[in-house]
Amino acid sequence: MNPLLENLNVEQKTAVETTEGAVLVLSGAGTGKTKVLTTRIAHILNLGLAQPWQVLALTFTNKAANEMKNRLNDMAGGAWYAGDVWCGTFHSICLRILRNNSDRAGLRRDFLVFGDDEQKTILKTVILNLTLDIKEYPPADWVDKISSIKDKGIGFEIDGMKKKIYDAYNAELARMNGVDFGVIILKVLQLFESAPDILDRYQRQFKYILVDEFQETNNAQHQFLHACVKCNGNICCVSVDDQSIYSWLCAEIKHILNFDKNYPHTPIIRLDTNYRNTD
């Protein structure tokens, strides 16, 4: 008996051992989804199906990413190095890709990442340069609006004054050798479009892709996943099995509903046993 699998229930074990193709795991709170994801990675590496650097594990917070890394480190047992797994948030992974390919992405290697305060300052300058009323176009509001546009990914069209502000803001970012949080994933998508050789390299590298909290993915993140998985087709997504919270999370419910269309013949595994609240 594989010691990694000894403490898993039937559904968890199925999710871990179904290594090939696309898999959708639906889970409620306290059902051990992080345990399933990390055990699945360790199982893949122990079987020699991939090297650690060929595994991409994505989540939405640094806290969750660190938890996954710590658990992987405990599971490694010297057989492989957990630090080589590409484990992190969507933004940290895409930032790593941008840093490694900055010249091809139209950036200097020492490009800066601007936060909300810097974005507000830049937008204030942009709005005034366009001779617009700062009260009618508050920079703080436009930080959110521009982020929302970038979350739509490649192919989303805008026009009118929104486009003027958006284009002028991005031009100023480029002049300052900077990116904002929202554009990091968009820049990688644009890089993949303009440099097929770079896309091919990452598609071949990432033999196994795992996604935590899949219900939170926006269009740009979904486009990134779809681009990376095309070569090997091995993707495991864990999602909350409760559609009522999707709109509250500002999530794109279509990514869950269309999962089996994007990845035909996908097995759906439900984790129903709640270990956190046993009653």
Side-chain angles (χ1 to χ4, degrees), residues 22 56 58 90 94 153-154 185 188-189 192-193 199-200 202-204 206 209-211 214 217-237 254-255 258-264 266:
L56 173 62
L58 294 157
F90 276 88
C94 285
I154 296 288
I185 297 174
V188 170
L189 294 174
F192 285 170
E193 275 200 344
L199 171 59
D200 181 70
Y202 287 108
Q203 284 177 335
R204 293 179 183 279
F206 298 136
I209 298 174
L210 302 93
V211 186
F214 182 71
T217 53
N218 58 39
N219 281 348
Q221 291 160 345
H222 189 262
Q223 288 175 357
F224 172 74
L225 288 173
H226 198 59
C228 290
V229 79
K230 276 190 174 180
C231 182
N232 293 295
N234 299 321
I235 183 169
C236 175
C237 296
K254 66 182 180 182
H255 297 153
N258 294 334
F259 195 89
D260 60 345
K261 295 178 182 177
N262 292 321
Y263 308 103
T266 299

Side-chain angles (χ1 to χ4, degrees), residues 78-131:
W80 36 269
Y81 178 50
D84 285 341
V85 175
W86 280 54
C87 179
T89 64
F90 276 88
H91 288 90
S92 68
I93 293 297
C94 285
L95 183 59
R96 181 174 175 179
I97 292 173
L98 278 185
R99 291 286 186 201
N100 290 342
N101 302 277
S102 55
D103 55 333
R104 301 287 295 278
L107 297 164
R108 297 203 305 270
R109 189 171 180 81
D110 61 345
F111 68 85
L112 305 172
V113 180
F114 294 129
D116 284 358
D117 290 340
E118 291 91 349
Q119 289 176 260
K120 290 173 190 174
T121 300
I122 295 170
L123 275 163
K124 182 177 180 180
T125 300
V126 164
I127 290 166
L128 290 174
N129 286 344
L130 290 171
T131 65

Side-chain angles (χ1 to χ4, degrees), residues 173-225:
L173 274 185
R175 187 190 70 79
M176 299 175 71
N177 187 39
V179 299
D180 60 26
F181 193 68
V183 84
I184 290 171
I185 297 174
L186 192 61
K187 280 282 188 185
V188 170
L189 294 174
Q190 292 167 345
L191 173 67
F192 285 170
E193 275 200 344
S194 64
D197 59 312
I198 293 177
L199 171 59
D200 181 70
R201 186 206 317 159
Y202 287 108
Q203 284 177 335
R204 293 179 183 279
Q205 175 181 336
F206 298 136
K207 286 188 175 182
Y208 291 91
I209 298 174
L210 302 93
V211 186
D212 190 16
E213 306 289 1
F214 182 71
Q215 77 279 354
E216 294 190 34
T217 53
N218 58 39
N219 281 348
Q221 291 160 345
H222 189 262
Q223 288 175 357
F224 172 74
L225 288 173

Side-chain angles (χ1 to χ4, degrees), residues 14-60:
T14 301
V16 168
E17 293 187 311
T18 309
T19 58
E20 303 309 300
V23 180
L24 178 61
V25 179
L26 299 178
S27 69
T31 56
K33 62 184 181 65
T34 304
K35 182 177 183 179
V36 165
L37 284 172
T38 51
T39 305
R40 181 183 169 89
I41 294 171
H43 183 63
I44 287 168
L45 296 178
N46 285 347
L47 290 178
L49 298 176
Q51 297 298 315
W53 53 272
Q54 294 175 314
V55 175
L56 173 62
L58 294 157
T59 187
F60 283 84

